[in-house]
């Protein structure tokens, strides 16, 4: 409200939020059509993606202005629809949550991170939680958990407990890993995590099990986003996942990965995981339809 008193009517009001709904930010605006999301990724100078988030009332000229601005900065832009978690945060949240669930089930922290790095991600999911911040992870997990609880994605509840225990991630050098003050020393697994999540007794989980559970949750959620119109094309979904979240580039992104592995195989594995671990793994309708029609996301 203070800004609207001081700027011209053709000024775009952009928020860098990774999850707060743009429609709520614009709700009391005098000119809600100029309110938009411009979600940059950390570290901003290195990350090539800009996720532009449009609400129902966002004007086309505001979207075009944001797109031109991001392009001038050298970013690759995707335009997504406003909604819980937009696109990138929405598909990242279940991926990270599943990593935490595996630790709760007894998987060693380093095994989870190593498996996903071997799959092709540049950093393990638990190390990523530390980078993002356990406080931020707890906030996003709570909000998205409420939004998608009916699909079994309510979250483990572990992140708020870790934050309350004083584990904030890299920002206070205590998270899933302990970060020494001297940069030359390597981080090490924080054994306190095991006391808080599942106890000290750890069990071996195969890399294939870890990789399937995490990667297929992200892939399935990406298909849900295309199905709901959050993204307008498989191309945008693949670009967003690779350039914003580190989805293995050689796998082509979630949609190209489905086309490569085969919809029948992806659906069958998701159904198998749903039988073992719950409805959060139930295949998206569009994925099931693609199997039945034997069509590909990329024609």
């Amino acid at each position: 409200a203070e800004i609207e008193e001081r700027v011209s009517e053709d000024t775009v009001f952009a928020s860098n939020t990774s999850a707060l709904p743009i429609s709520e930010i614009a709700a009391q605006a005098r000119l809600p059509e100029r309110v938009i999301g411009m979600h940059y990724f950390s570290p901003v100078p290195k990350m090539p993606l800009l996720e532009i988030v449009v609400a129902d009332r966002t004007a086309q000229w505001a979207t075009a202005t944001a797109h031109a601005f991001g392009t001038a900065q050298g970013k690759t832009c995707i335009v997504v629809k406003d909604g819980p978690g937009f696109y990138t945060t929405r598909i990242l949240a279940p991926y990270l949550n599943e990593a935490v669930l595996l630790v709760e089930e007894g998987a060693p922290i380093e095994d989870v991170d190593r498996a996903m790095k071997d799959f092709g991600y540049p950093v393990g999911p638990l190390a990523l939680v530390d980078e993002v911040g356990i406080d931020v992870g707890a906030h996003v997990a709570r909000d998205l958990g409420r939004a998608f609880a009916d699909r079994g994605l309510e979250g483990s509840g572990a992140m708020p407990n870790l934050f309350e225990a004083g584990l904030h991630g890299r920002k206070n050098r205590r998270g899933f890993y302990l970060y020494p003050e001297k940069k030359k020393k390597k981080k090490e697994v924080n054994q306190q995590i095991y006391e808080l999540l599942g106890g000290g007794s750890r069990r071996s989980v195969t890399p294939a099990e870890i990789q399937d559970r995490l990667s297929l949750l992200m892939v399935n959620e990406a298909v849900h986003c295309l199905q709901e119109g959050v993204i307008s094309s498989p191309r945008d979904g693949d670009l967003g996942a690779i350039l914003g979240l580190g989805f293995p580039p050689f796998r082509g992104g979630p949609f190209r990965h489905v086309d490569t592995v085969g919809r029948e195989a992806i659906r069958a594995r998701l159904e198998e995981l749903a039988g073992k671990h719950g409805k959060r793994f139930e295949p998206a309708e569009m994925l099931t339809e693609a199997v039945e029609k034997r069509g590909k996301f990329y024609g």
Side-chain angles (χ1 to χ4, degrees):
E2 292 174 0
I3 289 172
E4 283 194 313
E5 293 176 1
R6 290 166 170 79
V7 298
S8 63
E9 293 193 355
D10 61 356
T11 299
V12 174
F13 185 102
S15 168
N16 183 44
T17 175
S18 62
L20 299 175
I22 299 303
S23 57
E24 290 185 16
I25 294 174
Q28 302 301 320
R30 182 169 55 85
L31 298 172
E33 63 270 20
R34 65 174 174 187
V35 181
I36 200 167
M38 292 178 69
H39 177 206
Y40 291 85
F41 296 77
S42 182
V44 176
K46 293 182 179 179
M47 296 297 282
L49 185 72
L50 173 60
E51 184 179 37
I52 298 171
V53 186
V54 298
D56 289 339
R57 299 172 70 182
T58 303
Q60 288 187 357
W61 67 264
T63 305
T65 302
H67 199 289
F69 186 80
T71 301
Q73 290 178 310
K75 301 299 183 187
T76 298
C77 304
I78 62 170
V79 178
V80 307
K81 186 178 177 182
D82 187 29
F86 316 137
Y87 173 66
T88 54
T89 301
R90 176 169 166 183
I91 70 171
L92 180 64
Y95 168 84
L96 297 182
N97 183 68
E98 197 67 19
V100 177
L101 281 172
L102 276 161
V103 176
E104 288 186 273
E105 293 171 13
I109 291 169
E110 62 269 37
D111 285 8
V112 175
D113 277 353
R114 186 185 303 114
M116 297 319 295
K117 288 180 73 174
D118 288 347
F119 186 78
Y121 284 87
V123 64
L126 300 168
L128 180 59
V129 171
D130 280 356
E131 293 291 340
V132 171
I134 288 175
D135 53 337
V136 175
H139 174 79
V140 171
R142 184 186 68 241
D143 288 356
L144 292 188
R146 289 196 199 112
F148 302 110
D150 61 326
R151 289 184 34 231
L153 295 169
E154 57 268 55
S156 72
M159 299 281 254
N161 295 336
L162 296 178
F163 181 70
E164 289 173 11
L167 307 181
H168 300 175
R170 188 151 198 164
K171 64 182 67 176
N172 76 338
R173 298 197 296 277
R174 295 175 64 229
F176 286 90
Y177 294 89
L178 297 175
Y179 299 86
E181 291 188 33
K182 294 182 180 179
K183 291 184 179 179
K184 291 184 179 180
K185 290 187 177 181
K186 290 185 177 180
K187 66 187 180 186
E188 58 185 44
V189 170
N190 183 2
Q191 298 297 320
Q192 185 187 359
I193 291 285
Y194 297 145
E195 298 172 15
L196 297 167
L197 302 182
S201 178
R202 298 285 105 184
R203 68 181 181 88
S204 177
V205 183
T206 65
E209 174 82 5
I210 295 169
Q211 291 166 356
D212 282 356
R213 284 176 61 174
L214 270 67
S215 67
L216 291 184
L217 269 181
M218 181 179 280
V219 167
N220 198 42
E221 201 61 33
V223 177
H224 273 286
C225 287
L226 181 63
Q227 182 176 298
E228 297 168 21
V230 174
I231 51 175
S232 59
S233 69
R235 173 188 172 276
D236 281 358
D238 285 345
L239 280 173
I242 293 171
L243 300 182
L245 305 178
F247 192 96
F250 66 90
R251 297 183 187 275
F255 296 96
R256 185 69 72 181
H257 182 59
V258 172
D259 282 357
T260 301
V261 175
R263 279 142 315 289
E264 292 89 346
I266 294 288
R267 180 178 72 170
R269 183 60 174 138
L270 280 167
E271 288 174 343
E272 182 184 356
L273 289 168
K276 289 182 180 178
H277 303 290
K279 64 188 300 183
R280 66 185 181 277
F281 286 100
E282 290 179 358
E285 289 178 20
M286 182 178 279
L287 185 59
T288 303
E289 290 169 2
V291 172
E292 291 170 353
K293 294 176 182 177
R294 295 187 178 276
K296 290 190 173 185
F297 287 111
Y298 290 92

